[in-house]
Amino acid sequence: MTTSCSNTPNSQNLTWYNHSTVNQVSEDPENPEKFQRVTIGISQQVFYLSKKDSNYQTLLKRLNESAEKGKALNIGIENNTNIIKQVNDLP
């Protein structure tokens, strides 16, 4: 698995983890009512998915699919928050 980070001009507030595979999606033990904890990549970087996000169900489904099937995705993380804001299929 190859992971790369980049900023794209159309998403200036996001850092992208390209060609990334999700290792695990679970309830955040510190804030289970607010977040899902998502670990990505070989180094098991931890990011969060807000349950209050308007696209929560769609994002959760795609992240779980990556974890279950090993499907690589491009994942946009909001700068300075570690919160997943966008998930895209590879081109």
Side-chain angles (χ1 to χ4, degrees):
M1 178 192 79
T2 303
T3 301
S4 64
C5 300
S6 66
N7 286 321
T8 57
N10 61 351
S11 302
Q12 292 180 358
N13 197 32
L14 299 179
T15 297
W16 287 92
Y17 288 78
N18 296 320
H19 301 277
S20 296
T21 303
V22 174
N23 293 48
Q24 183 179 27
V25 178
S26 59
E27 293 280 331
D28 179 46
E30 296 173 14
N31 291 300
E33 67 285 347
K34 293 182 181 179
F35 298 106
Q36 289 282 345
R37 184 186 299 198
V38 180
T39 55
I40 298 173
I42 294 170
S43 62
Q44 302 265 331
Q45 294 174 284
V46 176
F47 300 101
Y48 299 92
L49 177 61
S50 174
K51 292 183 176 182
K52 295 181 180 180
D53 190 299
S54 60
N55 294 317
Y56 171 74
Q57 291 298 330
T58 302
L59 294 172
L60 180 62
K61 180 180 175 183
R62 297 181 84 199
L63 294 167
N64 276 322
E65 183 179 281
S66 176
E68 293 167 5
K69 298 179 181 178
K71 181 179 179 181
L73 300 166
N74 292 336
I75 302 172
I77 310 297
E78 184 177 46
N79 293 336
N80 302 316
T81 67
N82 281 350
I83 295 177
I84 297 169
K85 289 294 190 179
Q86 195 169 341
V87 177
N88 297 334
D89 289 325
L90 300 180

